[in-house]
Amino acid sequence: MIDSCGRMRWKLPEPMRLALEEAEAARRRGEVPVGATVSDGEGRILASAGNRTLELKDPTAHAELLAIRAAASLIGSERLTGCDLYVTLEPCAMCAAAISFARIRRLYFGAEDEKMGAVDHGGRFFAQASCHHAPEVYGGIGGEAARKLLKDFFRERR
């Protein structure tokens, strides 16, 4: 798609669009605006979630973990082999470990996280010899919109 200025614009995949909607809903709840969606091998949405750490008083209630838990419950297996995860922010080490344990096929993320990210930054979890399963990783999908949500959220907090 070409925008009014003649620049190429790509249409976001539906799972990432939904993850961005979950991030926006998290922002409205006062949570850090991160959203995640799990889809199956056919592209059908299995689960989506936004951060709920404050609401649930649970430091592990990251969007990725909530979406992975819901998808695993739906299919009745701890393994999400053949499933893809779309998340608006580069996963942290905790979420990267869960992605590996769940055997997610592909990880698509939006904004990079230079402080807490563990995929392209920090410990680079999937590159470690101790990592038993590494998904295919694609960064920058919806990154501009995800970065804007995060920047606006933290600007409002200051």
Side-chain angles (χ1 to χ4, degrees):
M1 161 188 330
I2 306 234
D3 70 11
S4 61
C5 295
R7 293 176 297 220
M8 183 63 88
R9 295 284 185 199
W10 300 104
K11 183 177 178 199
L12 284 178
E14 181 64 17
M16 184 57 86
R17 191 193 59 71
L18 184 55
L20 284 163
E21 287 178 10
E22 289 285 356
E24 175 58 31
R27 184 199 60 77
R28 288 192 305 270
R29 291 191 303 273
E31 302 275 359
V32 174
V34 177
T37 304
V38 176
S39 65
D40 68 10
E42 303 298 317
R44 291 180 295 254
I45 304 298
L46 299 177
S48 63
N51 275 356
R52 291 187 180 274
T53 59
L54 298 174
E55 176 185 337
L56 299 176
K57 309 290 187 266
D58 179 356
T60 70
H62 289 196
E64 301 96 317
L65 292 182
L66 296 173
I68 287 170
R69 288 174 187 155
S73 179
L74 179 71
I75 67 170
S77 175
E78 76 282 6
R79 300 281 191 245
L80 297 175
T81 306
C83 293
D84 300 331
L85 177 68
Y86 292 78
V87 61
T88 59
L89 182 64
E90 178 182 352
C92 68
M94 173 180 69
C95 293
I99 291 163
S100 179
F101 291 147
R103 304 298 194 266
I104 295 287
R105 175 179 64 173
R106 292 185 191 112
L107 166 65
Y108 299 90
F109 71 87
E112 293 182 338
D113 186 349
E114 294 178 12
K115 282 187 178 179
M116 295 298 293
V119 176
D120 285 346
H121 296 87
R124 299 178 189 229
F125 187 89
F126 302 129
Q128 300 302 314
S130 59
C131 179
H132 295 293
H133 169 78
E136 293 176 33
V137 176
Y138 303 91
I141 312 299
E144 188 176 317
R147 274 188 298 282
K148 181 173 178 4
L149 265 173
L150 288 160
K151 283 183 179 184
D152 291 350
F153 174 79
F154 287 112
R155 186 179 316 112
E156 291 168 7
R157 291 286 194 200
R158 292 185 193 116

